[in-house]
Amino acid sequence: MEQEKKVKEIRAAEVTVEVKDALTGQVFRRTLPIDYYETANALRLIAEDAHGEPSELVFYTNFGLGKLRDLTGGGPDADPCGGHSGH
């Protein structure tokens, strides 16, 4: 049997939101025209704002935040893989 392929990203042109009202306990579901893109680094939602202009929200994972911190110079001053030191 073949190994299942590992999912590296998830993409969709719409999302379904399900909420449970705090007062009544009723559950509501809505399908919305929001572009969805998810990787190990972040979840990105893209839609239009009230003026019809593109708008996006990005939620970083802890893994993604660590990579972002490293890219912007906020990471540790140590070579994590041991192959780039001046020795």
Side-chain angles (χ1 to χ4, degrees):
M1 181 153 74
E2 288 184 40
Q3 280 187 333
E4 290 185 37
K5 289 187 178 183
K6 210 172 191 183
V7 175
K8 295 189 179 195
E9 65 181 25
I10 303 169
R11 293 177 182 261
E14 63 184 23
V15 300
T16 300
V17 177
E18 182 176 289
V19 298
K20 183 176 181 180
D21 183 69
L23 295 177
T24 66
Q26 284 186 275
V27 176
F28 298 91
R29 291 173 59 100
R30 304 285 186 263
T31 298
L32 306 169
I34 297 173
D35 289 330
Y36 180 98
Y37 180 67
E38 180 182 351
T39 65
N41 297 321
L43 166 71
R44 184 172 67 177
L45 303 173
I46 304 169
E48 291 181 354
D49 67 13
H51 302 288
E53 298 295 323
S55 181
E56 75 180 69
L57 289 172
V58 178
F59 301 92
Y60 289 98
T61 63
N62 285 338
F63 179 74
L65 278 174
K67 289 176 77 175
L68 185 61
R69 203 173 300 118
D70 288 346
L71 285 171
T72 58
D77 289 334
D79 176 14
C81 63
H84 302 286
S85 61
H87 303 293

